[in-house]
Amino acid sequence: MEKIKLDSREKTDMVDITEKVKDAVKNSGVKSGICLLFVPHTTAAVTITEYADPNVMKDILTSLNSLVPFENDYKHEEGNSAAHIKSSLFNFSLEMIIDEGELVIGGYQGIFFCEFDGPRENRQVFVKIMEG
Amino acid sequence: MEKIKLDSREKTDMVDITEKVKDAVKNSGVKSGICLLFVPHTTAAVTITEYADPNVMKDILTSLNSLVPFENDYKHEEGNSAAHIKSSLFNFSLEMIIDEGELVIGGYQGIFFCEFDGPRENRQVFVKIMEG
Amino acid sequence: MEKIKLDSREKTDMVDITEKVKDAVKNSGVKSGICLLFVPHTTAAVTITEYADPNVMKDILTSLNSLVPFENDYKHEEGNSAAHIKSSLFNFSLEMIIDEGELVIGGYQGIFFCEFDGPRENRQVFVKIMEG
């Protein structure tokens, strides 16, 4: 198991971790298998989207913040219920295929850590590579 | 493959299955690998959230019931379209890492079966443990 | 790794790929393991829902199109931000269990490719089968 460490910069943020995941796959030496990403937090998620235009990330976060407002008569007294809800709407795990020693993702796809209760230091994504 | 069986108590409900999943991992004897959870229903899901405060679960369900109302001119005559939609927004599968014989989850994370068309008896979550 | 190829027919669409996934599992000869589906696009997803009534798919797409409108002052100039957002709300990967040589899914469950920026030809779902 490897750990990708990162800091988020805003209350809601998307951080591109594509290269770090690709590196983990290469470093493993595994030629065929799967790569599992797991987010060990309750106010963050992992997703895929078009990496080339930062406006895509802005649109995703704006839309999600509108669907799940920061304040909404929530009962949870820590004040971050919106972040918990967004994390469950996105997802805590993501699996990809490894083929011929490379991570198999689409040409437009980037892998993003999604911060929903930032900014925070020392966020993590766990990476597990399985051969098979 | 193991099967976790449970009953839900409300129309929408979140049932903590963390200990049952941890037990399945321990009972398998697997030291390193992945643990896959799969929900074999179409009106239920599995997610992760902060387990310590029941208000988090209340906020998640209230928010989801507001985003996807029970009644909304749906065409499906069984009357449970909202449950199908919520299940797809959350997810049917969840994968976690097994390391040193233990399920690797964050300190605040609990694993929850999400009922969206309850209350129901004999709901299930399938557990598959892969060594590697 | 296998590739399921398909065309979508509408701007938003759900295409049943259950039989193709079952065939991939049978053809692999694997008796026990997992089956990973991965969507290599940024405007499409994969999910599970009740396959028997097409109105379920209609209700899912209508609801999703209402939650995430096609036009909404998005910044991304390609005009398909709604599709990116919907794809992240659903999911790019889905994992299922293989037991006794068969894909294990619930009796009401069908597996669907979700098109959010169609209609398009040559959409793909990658299938990876792991023995274990």
Side-chain angles (χ1 to χ4, degrees), chain B residues 9-55:
Chain B
R9 302 149 297 192
E10 307 284 345
K11 188 168 178 75
T12 59
D13 193 11
M14 292 176 71
V15 180
D16 192 333
I17 59 170
T18 313
E19 289 310 311
K20 290 181 179 177
V21 178
K22 285 184 175 176
D23 286 349
V25 169
K26 276 190 194 154
N27 293 342
S28 74
V30 167
K31 298 301 174 199
S32 175
I34 62 173
C35 173
L36 161 62
L37 303 185
F38 182 79
V39 173
H41 311 290
T42 58
T43 54
V46 63
T47 196
I48 280 174
T49 201
E50 185 180 319
Y51 69 89
D53 179 4
N55 281 334

Side-chain angles (χ1 to χ4, degrees), chain B:
Chain B
M1 185 173 88
E2 273 202 44
K3 296 180 182 182
I4 294 173
K5 299 194 179 189
L6 58 98
D7 301 336
S8 59
R9 302 149 297 192
E10 307 284 345
K11 188 168 178 75
T12 59
D13 193 11
M14 292 176 71
V15 180
D16 192 333
I17 59 170
T18 313
E19 289 310 311
K20 290 181 179 177
V21 178
K22 285 184 175 176
D23 286 349
V25 169
K26 276 190 194 154
N27 293 342
S28 74
V30 167
K31 298 301 174 199
S32 175
I34 62 173
C35 173
L36 161 62
L37 303 185
F38 182 79
V39 173
H41 311 290
T42 58
T43 54
V46 63
T47 196
I48 280 174
T49 201
E50 185 180 319
Y51 69 89
D53 179 4
N55 281 334
V56 173
M57 287 66 105
K58 280 185 197 167
D59 288 342
I60 289 175
L61 293 176
T62 301
S63 179
L64 208 50
N65 291 339
S66 162
L67 284 171
V68 185
F70 293 114
E71 304 293 335
N72 199 13
D73 287 326
Y74 298 119
K75 306 296 183 200
H76 180 48
E77 294 191 347
E78 290 179 14
N80 60 357
S81 279
H84 294 302
I85 297 161
K86 290 167 189 166
S87 301
S88 285
L89 283 173
F90 274 31
N91 220 32
F92 297 92
S93 69
L94 175 69
E95 293 72 40
M96 290 158 291
I97 299 169
I98 301 167
D99 196 50
E100 299 184 357
E102 302 276 349
L103 188 72
V104 178
I105 59 173
Y108 295 97
Q109 290 187 323
I111 308 163
F112 289 83
F113 175 85
C114 304
E115 172 65 73
F116 296 128
D117 193 29
R120 292 207 198 193
E121 297 184 340
N122 298 318
R123 290 298 221 177
Q124 295 187 99
V125 179
F126 295 162
V127 185
K128 172 72 179 178
I129 290 164
M130 297 273 287
E131 194 161 15

Side-chain angles (χ1 to χ4, degrees), chain A residues 96-100 102-106 109, chain C residues 1 38 40 126:
Chain A
M96 290 157 291
I97 299 168
I98 301 167
D99 197 50
E100 298 183 358
E102 302 275 350
L103 188 72
V104 178
I105 59 174
Q109 290 187 324
Chain C
M1 184 173 89
F38 181 78
F126 295 162

Side-chain angles (χ1 to χ4, degrees), chain A residues 10-116:
Chain A
E10 308 282 346
K11 189 168 176 74
T12 59
D13 194 10
M14 291 176 71
V15 180
D16 193 332
I17 59 170
T18 313
E19 289 309 313
K20 290 181 178 177
V21 178
K22 285 184 175 175
D23 285 349
V25 169
K26 276 189 194 154
N27 294 340
S28 74
V30 167
K31 296 301 174 199
S32 175
I34 61 174
C35 173
L36 161 62
L37 303 185
F38 181 79
V39 173
H41 311 290
T42 59
T43 53
V46 63
T47 196
I48 281 174
T49 201
E50 185 181 319
Y51 70 88
D53 178 5
N55 281 333
V56 173
M57 288 64 107
K58 280 184 197 166
D59 288 341
I60 289 175
L61 294 176
T62 301
S63 178
L64 209 49
N65 291 340
S66 162
L67 285 171
V68 185
F70 293 114
E71 304 294 333
N72 199 12
D73 288 326
Y74 299 120
K75 306 295 183 199
H76 180 49
E77 294 191 347
E78 290 179 13
N80 59 358
S81 279
H84 294 302
I85 297 162
K86 289 166 189 167
S87 302
S88 285
L89 283 173
F90 274 33
N91 219 32
F92 297 91
S93 68
L94 176 69
E95 292 73 39
M96 290 157 291
I97 299 168
I98 301 167
D99 197 50
E100 298 183 358
E102 302 275 350
L103 188 72
V104 178
I105 59 174
Y108 295 97
Q109 290 187 324
I111 307 164
F112 289 84
F113 175 84
C114 304
E115 173 64 74
F116 296 129

Side-chain angles (χ1 to χ4, degrees), chain A residues 32 47 53 59 95 109 132, chain C residues 39 41 75-76 81 88 95 128:
Chain A
S32 175
T47 196
D53 178 5
D59 288 341
E95 292 73 39
Q109 290 187 324
Chain C
V39 173
H41 311 290
K75 306 296 183 198
H76 180 48
S81 279
S88 285
E95 292 72 39
K128 173 72 179 177

Side-chain angles (χ1 to χ4, degrees), chain A residues 132, chain C residues 21 24-26 28 30 34-36 98 127-131:
Chain C
V21 178
V25 170
K26 276 189 194 154
S28 74
V30 167
I34 62 174
C35 172
L36 161 61
I98 301 167
V127 185
K128 173 72 179 177
I129 289 165
M130 297 274 287
E131 192 160 17

